[in-house]
Short mmCIF file of all heavy atoms in Angstrom, two decimals:
data_model
loop_
_atom_site.label_atom_id
_atom_site.label_comp_id
_atom_site.label_asym_id
_atom_site.label_seq_id
_atom_site.Cartn_x
_atom_site.Cartn_y
_atom_site.Cartn_z
N ARG A 1 0.86 -1.19 0.00
CA ARG A 1 -0.01 0.00 0.00
C ARG A 1 0.91 1.24 0.01
O ARG A 1 2.09 1.16 0.30
CB ARG A 1 -0.87 0.03 1.25
CG ARG A 1 -1.51 -1.32 1.60
CD ARG A 1 -2.86 -1.51 1.05
NE ARG A 1 -3.42 -2.80 1.44
CZ ARG A 1 -4.73 -3.07 1.45
NH1 ARG A 1 -5.63 -2.14 1.09
NH2 ARG A 1 -5.18 -4.27 1.80
N ILE A 2 0.32 2.38 -0.29
CA ILE A 2 1.09 3.63 -0.27
C ILE A 2 1.80 3.85 1.05
O ILE A 2 2.94 4.24 1.10
CB ILE A 2 0.17 4.81 -0.64
CG1 ILE A 2 -0.19 4.80 -2.11
CG2 ILE A 2 0.83 6.14 -0.27
CD1 ILE A 2 -1.06 5.93 -2.57
N LYS A 3 1.07 3.55 2.14
CA LYS A 3 1.62 3.76 3.48
C LYS A 3 2.83 2.87 3.79
O LYS A 3 3.56 3.14 4.76
CB LYS A 3 0.54 3.51 4.52
CG LYS A 3 0.11 2.06 4.62
CD LYS A 3 -0.90 1.83 5.71
CE LYS A 3 -1.22 0.35 5.84
NZ LYS A 3 -0.05 -0.45 6.17
N ASP A 4 3.03 1.82 3.00
CA ASP A 4 4.12 0.88 3.28
C ASP A 4 5.46 1.34 2.78
O ASP A 4 6.48 0.66 3.02
CB ASP A 4 3.78 -0.51 2.66
CG ASP A 4 2.52 -1.10 3.26
OD1 ASP A 4 2.19 -0.75 4.42
OD2 ASP A 4 1.85 -1.90 2.58
N ILE A 5 5.51 2.43 2.05
CA ILE A 5 6.75 3.00 1.55
C ILE A 5 7.09 4.23 2.35
O ILE A 5 6.37 5.25 2.28
CB ILE A 5 6.69 3.32 0.04
CG1 ILE A 5 6.16 2.12 -0.76
CG2 ILE A 5 8.06 3.75 -0.48
CD1 ILE A 5 7.05 0.93 -0.72
N ASP A 6 8.18 4.17 3.11
CA ASP A 6 8.60 5.34 3.93
C ASP A 6 9.81 5.96 3.23
O ASP A 6 10.95 5.46 3.36
CB ASP A 6 8.97 4.84 5.33
CG ASP A 6 9.21 6.00 6.30
OD1 ASP A 6 9.64 7.07 5.83
OD2 ASP A 6 9.01 5.83 7.51
N PHE A 7 9.57 7.05 2.52
CA PHE A 7 10.65 7.69 1.80
C PHE A 7 11.60 8.43 2.74
O PHE A 7 12.75 8.68 2.41
CB PHE A 7 10.07 8.67 0.75
CG PHE A 7 9.34 7.99 -0.38
CD1 PHE A 7 7.96 8.05 -0.48
CD2 PHE A 7 10.03 7.24 -1.33
CE1 PHE A 7 7.28 7.42 -1.50
CE2 PHE A 7 9.36 6.58 -2.35
CZ PHE A 7 8.00 6.68 -2.43
N GLY A 8 11.11 8.85 3.90
CA GLY A 8 11.94 9.56 4.85
C GLY A 8 13.05 8.69 5.42
O GLY A 8 14.20 9.13 5.56
N PHE A 9 12.69 7.43 5.75
CA PHE A 9 13.66 6.51 6.32
C PHE A 9 14.12 5.45 5.30
O PHE A 9 14.82 4.50 5.68
CB PHE A 9 13.05 5.79 7.53
CG PHE A 9 12.96 6.67 8.74
CD1 PHE A 9 11.76 7.27 9.10
CD2 PHE A 9 14.07 6.89 9.56
CE1 PHE A 9 11.65 8.13 10.20
CE2 PHE A 9 13.99 7.70 10.69
CZ PHE A 9 12.79 8.32 11.02
N ASP A 10 13.74 5.63 4.04
CA ASP A 10 14.09 4.67 2.98
C ASP A 10 13.82 3.24 3.37
O ASP A 10 14.67 2.36 3.33
CB ASP A 10 15.59 4.86 2.62
CG ASP A 10 15.85 6.19 1.94
OD1 ASP A 10 14.93 6.72 1.32
OD2 ASP A 10 16.98 6.67 2.06
N THR A 11 12.56 2.99 3.78
CA THR A 11 12.18 1.71 4.30
C THR A 11 10.91 1.21 3.61
O THR A 11 10.00 1.99 3.31
CB THR A 11 11.94 1.78 5.82
OG1 THR A 11 13.15 2.21 6.44
CG2 THR A 11 11.54 0.44 6.38
N VAL A 12 10.89 -0.09 3.39
CA VAL A 12 9.68 -0.78 2.89
C VAL A 12 9.16 -1.66 3.99
O VAL A 12 9.93 -2.46 4.54
CB VAL A 12 9.98 -1.64 1.63
CG1 VAL A 12 8.72 -2.38 1.16
CG2 VAL A 12 10.54 -0.76 0.52
N TYR A 13 7.88 -1.54 4.30
CA TYR A 13 7.23 -2.31 5.38
C TYR A 13 6.43 -3.47 4.78
O TYR A 13 5.64 -3.27 3.84
CB TYR A 13 6.34 -1.45 6.24
CG TYR A 13 7.07 -0.42 7.06
CD1 TYR A 13 7.32 0.82 6.54
CD2 TYR A 13 7.47 -0.72 8.37
CE1 TYR A 13 8.02 1.76 7.30
CE2 TYR A 13 8.16 0.22 9.12
CZ TYR A 13 8.43 1.47 8.60
OH TYR A 13 9.10 2.40 9.36
N ILE A 14 6.63 -4.68 5.30
CA ILE A 14 5.89 -5.84 4.86
C ILE A 14 5.08 -6.35 6.06
O ILE A 14 5.60 -6.74 7.10
CB ILE A 14 6.82 -6.99 4.38
CG1 ILE A 14 7.75 -6.48 3.28
CG2 ILE A 14 6.03 -8.17 3.88
CD1 ILE A 14 7.06 -5.99 2.03
N TRP A 15 3.73 -6.31 5.88
CA TRP A 15 2.82 -6.69 6.95
C TRP A 15 2.10 -7.99 6.63
O TRP A 15 1.63 -8.18 5.52
CB TRP A 15 1.77 -5.57 7.20
CG TRP A 15 2.32 -4.22 7.35
CD1 TRP A 15 2.36 -3.25 6.36
CD2 TRP A 15 2.90 -3.61 8.52
NE1 TRP A 15 2.91 -2.11 6.85
CE2 TRP A 15 3.28 -2.29 8.16
CE3 TRP A 15 3.15 -4.07 9.80
CZ2 TRP A 15 3.87 -1.43 9.04
CZ3 TRP A 15 3.74 -3.21 10.70
CH2 TRP A 15 4.10 -1.93 10.34
N GLU A 16 1.97 -8.83 7.61
CA GLU A 16 1.09 -10.03 7.56
C GLU A 16 1.26 -10.81 6.27
O GLU A 16 0.27 -11.14 5.60
CB GLU A 16 -0.36 -9.59 7.74
CG GLU A 16 -0.62 -8.91 9.08
CD GLU A 16 -2.06 -8.46 9.21
OE1 GLU A 16 -2.82 -8.60 8.24
OE2 GLU A 16 -2.40 -7.99 10.28
N SER A 17 2.48 -11.12 5.91
CA SER A 17 2.74 -11.94 4.72
C SER A 17 2.77 -13.39 5.10
O SER A 17 2.34 -13.75 6.20
CB SER A 17 4.04 -11.50 4.05
OG SER A 17 5.14 -11.92 4.87
N LYS A 18 3.33 -14.21 4.26
CA LYS A 18 3.47 -15.63 4.56
C LYS A 18 4.45 -15.82 5.69
O LYS A 18 4.40 -16.81 6.45
CB LYS A 18 4.00 -16.35 3.30
CG LYS A 18 4.15 -17.84 3.44
CD LYS A 18 4.69 -18.46 2.17
CE LYS A 18 4.92 -19.97 2.33
NZ LYS A 18 5.48 -20.56 1.10
N SER A 19 5.33 -14.85 5.88
CA SER A 19 6.33 -14.91 6.96
C SER A 19 5.61 -14.81 8.32
O SER A 19 4.55 -14.24 8.45
CB SER A 19 7.31 -13.75 6.84
OG SER A 19 7.91 -13.77 5.55
N PRO A 20 6.22 -15.36 9.36
CA PRO A 20 5.62 -15.40 10.68
C PRO A 20 5.53 -14.04 11.39
O PRO A 20 4.79 -13.90 12.36
CB PRO A 20 6.48 -16.38 11.47
CG PRO A 20 7.81 -16.33 10.81
CD PRO A 20 7.53 -16.10 9.35
N LYS A 21 6.28 -13.05 10.89
CA LYS A 21 6.23 -11.78 11.55
C LYS A 21 6.44 -10.66 10.52
O LYS A 21 6.98 -10.89 9.43
CB LYS A 21 7.31 -11.67 12.67
CG LYS A 21 8.75 -11.82 12.16
CD LYS A 21 9.73 -11.71 13.28
CE LYS A 21 11.19 -11.88 12.81
NZ LYS A 21 12.15 -11.74 13.92
N ASP A 22 6.00 -9.45 10.88
CA ASP A 22 6.21 -8.30 10.01
C ASP A 22 7.70 -7.98 9.91
O ASP A 22 8.47 -8.34 10.79
CB ASP A 22 5.47 -7.09 10.58
CG ASP A 22 3.98 -7.35 10.73
OD1 ASP A 22 3.42 -8.16 9.95
OD2 ASP A 22 3.37 -6.80 11.68
N ARG A 23 8.10 -7.32 8.82
CA ARG A 23 9.51 -7.00 8.70
C ARG A 23 9.69 -5.74 7.89
O ARG A 23 8.75 -5.25 7.23
CB ARG A 23 10.26 -8.15 8.02
CG ARG A 23 9.94 -8.44 6.55
CD ARG A 23 10.60 -9.72 6.11
NE ARG A 23 10.66 -9.89 4.68
CZ ARG A 23 9.68 -10.38 3.94
NH1 ARG A 23 8.55 -10.74 4.53
NH2 ARG A 23 9.80 -10.51 2.62
N THR A 24 10.88 -5.15 8.00
CA THR A 24 11.24 -3.96 7.22
C THR A 24 12.39 -4.27 6.31
O THR A 24 13.23 -5.14 6.63
CB THR A 24 11.61 -2.79 8.14
OG1 THR A 24 12.73 -3.19 8.96
CG2 THR A 24 10.48 -2.39 9.06
N LEU A 25 12.42 -3.57 5.18
CA LEU A 25 13.52 -3.78 4.18
C LEU A 25 14.03 -2.45 3.73
O LEU A 25 13.29 -1.45 3.67
CB LEU A 25 12.96 -4.58 3.00
CG LEU A 25 12.45 -5.96 3.29
CD1 LEU A 25 11.52 -6.45 2.16
CD2 LEU A 25 13.62 -6.93 3.44
N PRO A 26 15.31 -2.38 3.39
CA PRO A 26 15.86 -1.12 2.86
C PRO A 26 15.29 -0.82 1.47
O PRO A 26 15.17 -1.71 0.64
CB PRO A 26 17.35 -1.40 2.80
CG PRO A 26 17.49 -2.87 2.76
CD PRO A 26 16.34 -3.42 3.52
N LEU A 27 14.89 0.40 1.24
CA LEU A 27 14.35 0.81 -0.06
C LEU A 27 15.49 1.03 -1.04
O LEU A 27 16.40 1.81 -0.75
CB LEU A 27 13.57 2.12 0.13
CG LEU A 27 13.03 2.78 -1.15
CD1 LEU A 27 11.92 1.90 -1.73
CD2 LEU A 27 12.50 4.19 -0.85
N PRO A 28 15.49 0.33 -2.17
CA PRO A 28 16.55 0.52 -3.19
C PRO A 28 16.58 1.97 -3.66
O PRO A 28 15.53 2.49 -4.13
CB PRO A 28 16.17 -0.46 -4.29
CG PRO A 28 15.29 -1.46 -3.63
CD PRO A 28 14.53 -0.74 -2.58
N GLN A 29 17.70 2.63 -3.55
CA GLN A 29 17.78 4.05 -3.91
C GLN A 29 17.59 4.28 -5.38
O GLN A 29 17.14 5.33 -5.79
CB GLN A 29 19.15 4.59 -3.47
CG GLN A 29 19.31 4.63 -1.96
CD GLN A 29 18.26 5.50 -1.28
OE1 GLN A 29 18.21 6.71 -1.47
NE2 GLN A 29 17.39 4.85 -0.49
N SER A 30 17.94 3.29 -6.21
CA SER A 30 17.85 3.45 -7.65
C SER A 30 16.43 3.59 -8.16
O SER A 30 16.19 4.06 -9.29
CB SER A 30 18.56 2.27 -8.37
OG SER A 30 17.93 1.06 -8.05
N ILE A 31 15.46 3.19 -7.35
CA ILE A 31 14.05 3.27 -7.80
C ILE A 31 13.24 4.18 -6.90
O ILE A 31 12.00 4.23 -7.03
CB ILE A 31 13.39 1.88 -7.86
CG1 ILE A 31 13.42 1.19 -6.46
CG2 ILE A 31 14.02 1.00 -8.91
CD1 ILE A 31 12.63 -0.11 -6.40
N LYS A 32 13.90 4.93 -6.03
CA LYS A 32 13.20 5.80 -5.10
C LYS A 32 12.34 6.85 -5.85
O LYS A 32 11.17 7.04 -5.54
CB LYS A 32 14.15 6.48 -4.19
CG LYS A 32 13.54 7.32 -3.08
CD LYS A 32 14.60 7.85 -2.10
CE LYS A 32 13.93 8.67 -1.00
NZ LYS A 32 14.93 9.15 0.01
N GLU A 33 12.92 7.50 -6.84
CA GLU A 33 12.19 8.53 -7.60
C GLU A 33 11.06 7.90 -8.39
O GLU A 33 9.99 8.49 -8.52
CB GLU A 33 13.15 9.32 -8.50
CG GLU A 33 14.16 10.16 -7.72
CD GLU A 33 13.50 11.11 -6.76
OE1 GLU A 33 12.50 11.76 -7.14
OE2 GLU A 33 13.95 11.19 -5.59
N GLU A 34 11.29 6.74 -8.97
CA GLU A 34 10.22 6.04 -9.71
C GLU A 34 9.03 5.74 -8.82
O GLU A 34 7.88 5.85 -9.21
CB GLU A 34 10.77 4.74 -10.34
CG GLU A 34 11.71 4.92 -11.49
CD GLU A 34 12.11 3.58 -12.10
OE1 GLU A 34 11.28 2.97 -12.79
OE2 GLU A 34 13.27 3.17 -11.87
N LEU A 35 9.33 5.32 -7.58
CA LEU A 35 8.25 5.00 -6.64
C LEU A 35 7.49 6.27 -6.22
O LEU A 35 6.27 6.19 -6.02
CB LEU A 35 8.83 4.28 -5.41
CG LEU A 35 9.21 2.81 -5.64
CD1 LEU A 35 9.96 2.27 -4.43
CD2 LEU A 35 8.00 1.96 -5.93
N LYS A 36 8.21 7.36 -6.10
CA LYS A 36 7.52 8.64 -5.76
C LYS A 36 6.55 9.02 -6.87
O LYS A 36 5.42 9.47 -6.61
CB LYS A 36 8.56 9.75 -5.53
CG LYS A 36 9.32 9.64 -4.23
CD LYS A 36 10.28 10.82 -4.07
CE LYS A 36 10.99 10.78 -2.71
NZ LYS A 36 11.91 11.91 -2.56
N ILE A 37 6.98 8.84 -8.11
CA ILE A 37 6.12 9.14 -9.24
C ILE A 37 4.92 8.20 -9.28
O ILE A 37 3.79 8.62 -9.52
CB ILE A 37 6.92 8.99 -10.58
CG1 ILE A 37 7.97 10.08 -10.65
CG2 ILE A 37 5.98 9.07 -11.79
CD1 ILE A 37 8.94 9.93 -11.82
N GLN A 38 5.15 6.90 -8.93
CA GLN A 38 4.06 5.93 -8.89
C GLN A 38 3.05 6.30 -7.82
O GLN A 38 1.84 6.18 -8.04
CB GLN A 38 4.63 4.53 -8.63
CG GLN A 38 3.58 3.43 -8.49
CD GLN A 38 2.76 3.21 -9.75
OE1 GLN A 38 3.16 3.59 -10.83
NE2 GLN A 38 1.62 2.60 -9.59
N VAL A 39 3.50 6.76 -6.68
CA VAL A 39 2.62 7.19 -5.61
C VAL A 39 1.71 8.33 -6.08
O VAL A 39 0.51 8.36 -5.81
CB VAL A 39 3.42 7.59 -4.35
CG1 VAL A 39 2.50 8.31 -3.35
CG2 VAL A 39 4.03 6.35 -3.69
#
């Protein structure tokens, strides 16, 4: 979802997936601007 991309902390949030717990991932810098446009 839009809320799952944190451009301030360059973080991607994954909630309630197949994994047993939620997790955070580093946002690839090479696609940061593309994601902002997508939002």
Side-chain angles (χ1 to χ4, degrees):
R1 317 267 181 158
I2 287 180
K3 68 177 184 60
D4 298 334
I5 308 297
D6 188 332
F7 293 109
F9 286 99
D10 292 333
T11 300
V12 177
Y13 292 89
I14 305 298
W15 310 99
E16 300 178 355
S17 70
K18 183 181 177 182
S19 306
K21 61 180 180 180
D22 303 328
R23 67 189 195 277
T24 59
L25 297 160
L27 176 68
Q29 294 301 294
S30 61
I31 58 173
K32 186 173 181 178
E33 293 306 314
E34 288 184 73
L35 285 172
K36 285 183 177 180
I37 293 172
Q38 177 62 21
V39 168

